[in-house]
Amino acid sequence: MIGDGRVTVDGQVVRRFGARVDPAKQVIHVDGKRLPTMPDLVYFAINKPIGVVSTMSDPDGRPSLADFVADRTERLFHVGRLDTETEGLILLTNDGELANRLTHPSYGVQKKYWAKVPGRIERDLGRRLKKGIELEDGLAKADSFTLVQEHGQQALVEIVLHEGRKHIVRRMLEEVGHPVIDLARIEFGPVKLGRLKPGTLRALTLTEVGELYAAVGL
């Protein structure tokens, strides 16, 4: 990879084999994607179950994300929130800079949701959602909308947004006459929920972490 010019350190292509770098101070990219080099930084995906609050503690004693990482010594941040009745993908990390950028609206990191709603779905619903739905706190636009499946009086739809206002998916769909029955987040930027079962945790791959860095310009 070095011979092919695919490795950079602090923005400069490395040509010399055996070049020494300080992983605590220097930034390494391979094929344009940053490598996580700090050994004390950790990155996890969790499938938050319904009934769990999206915080690292809860003063009311409800189940929280901390219950699933009680054996970890790091101080972990949760990236993004899901309301208590929504399940799905949340990221956990002690990389504060990455966590801040992933949740900041200016970076526009996309999140993909699957929602079960009352059918039938109107043919122009996707166009309306992408054009924007006026809510009490301003216009909300979907980046994409797909009808996944229709069965009887219910439908499964996929909606992608890059903002994270409170209950945004539920409010948008209710405003257009399809109040959410069940809701799950299945993707956060480049990270996919996949087959991760509710209440379980997995470490992100180096590729996933590099793609998260790239998504927020790190």
Side-chain angles (χ1 to χ4, degrees):
M1 288 190 289
I2 291 174
D4 290 340
R6 295 165 59 192
V7 180
T8 66
V9 176
D10 292 341
Q12 302 296 313
V13 176
V14 176
R15 297 290 187 186
R16 185 165 60 86
F17 299 123
R20 292 183 176 273
V21 298
D22 183 349
K25 296 179 181 176
Q26 295 178 287
V27 177
I28 303 167
H29 285 78
V30 177
D31 294 335
K33 291 178 181 173
R34 182 172 169 179
L35 291 184
T37 54
M38 295 286 285
D40 57 339
L41 293 181
V42 295
Y43 307 85
F44 297 109
I46 185 171
N47 186 350
K48 184 196 83 69
I50 292 173
V52 173
V53 294
S54 296
T55 59
M56 298 309 292
S57 64
D58 184 66
D60 297 325
R62 294 172 296 178
S64 71
L65 296 173
D67 298 336
F68 302 96
V69 289
D71 59 335
R72 306 293 311 186
T73 57
E74 304 92 353
R75 184 184 173 222
L76 295 171
F77 307 98
H78 60 91
V79 181
R81 303 178 83 118
L82 293 173
D83 65 67
T84 310
E85 295 310 307
T86 299
E87 68 176 274
L89 182 61
I90 287 183
L91 306 181
L92 298 172
T93 182
N94 58 349
D95 187 334
E97 184 178 10
L98 178 64
N100 286 336
R101 290 198 181 200
L102 285 172
T103 52
H104 199 281
S106 65
Y107 291 99
V109 178
Q110 290 188 327
K111 297 100 178 170
K112 182 181 288 184
Y113 300 83
W114 274 12
K116 184 191 293 183
V117 298
R120 299 189 54 93
I121 302 301
E122 306 84 10
R123 186 172 292 180
D124 69 337
L125 183 59
R127 180 188 60 78
R128 290 172 60 198
L129 289 166
K130 287 186 280 188
K131 184 179 179 181
I133 304 299
E134 193 64 52
L135 303 175
E136 67 270 16
D137 54 356
L139 196 68
K141 293 183 180 182
D143 296 335
S144 72
F145 177 84
T146 306
L147 173 60
V148 179
Q149 189 180 60
E150 253 184 334
H151 183 72
Q153 297 302 308
Q154 290 188 348
L156 181 64
V157 300
E158 178 184 286
I159 185 167
V160 177
L161 303 102
H162 62 267
E163 64 164 300
R165 273 184 277 168
K166 193 171 183 179
H167 305 313
I168 189 71
V169 177
R170 291 179 183 273
R171 289 193 290 143
M172 287 178 71
L173 289 172
E174 184 163 7
E175 187 67 26
V176 294
H178 296 280
V180 169
I181 300 166
D182 290 314
L183 182 64
R185 181 160 64 203
I186 61 168
E187 292 182 18
F188 194 116
V191 181
K192 294 176 171 56
L193 186 64
R195 296 181 179 271
L196 195 63
K197 294 180 179 177
T200 55
L201 189 78
R202 71 169 176 85
L204 298 188
T205 65
L206 284 177
T207 299
E208 286 174 324
V209 177
E211 288 175 343
L212 284 172
Y213 281 140
V216 294
L218 284 174

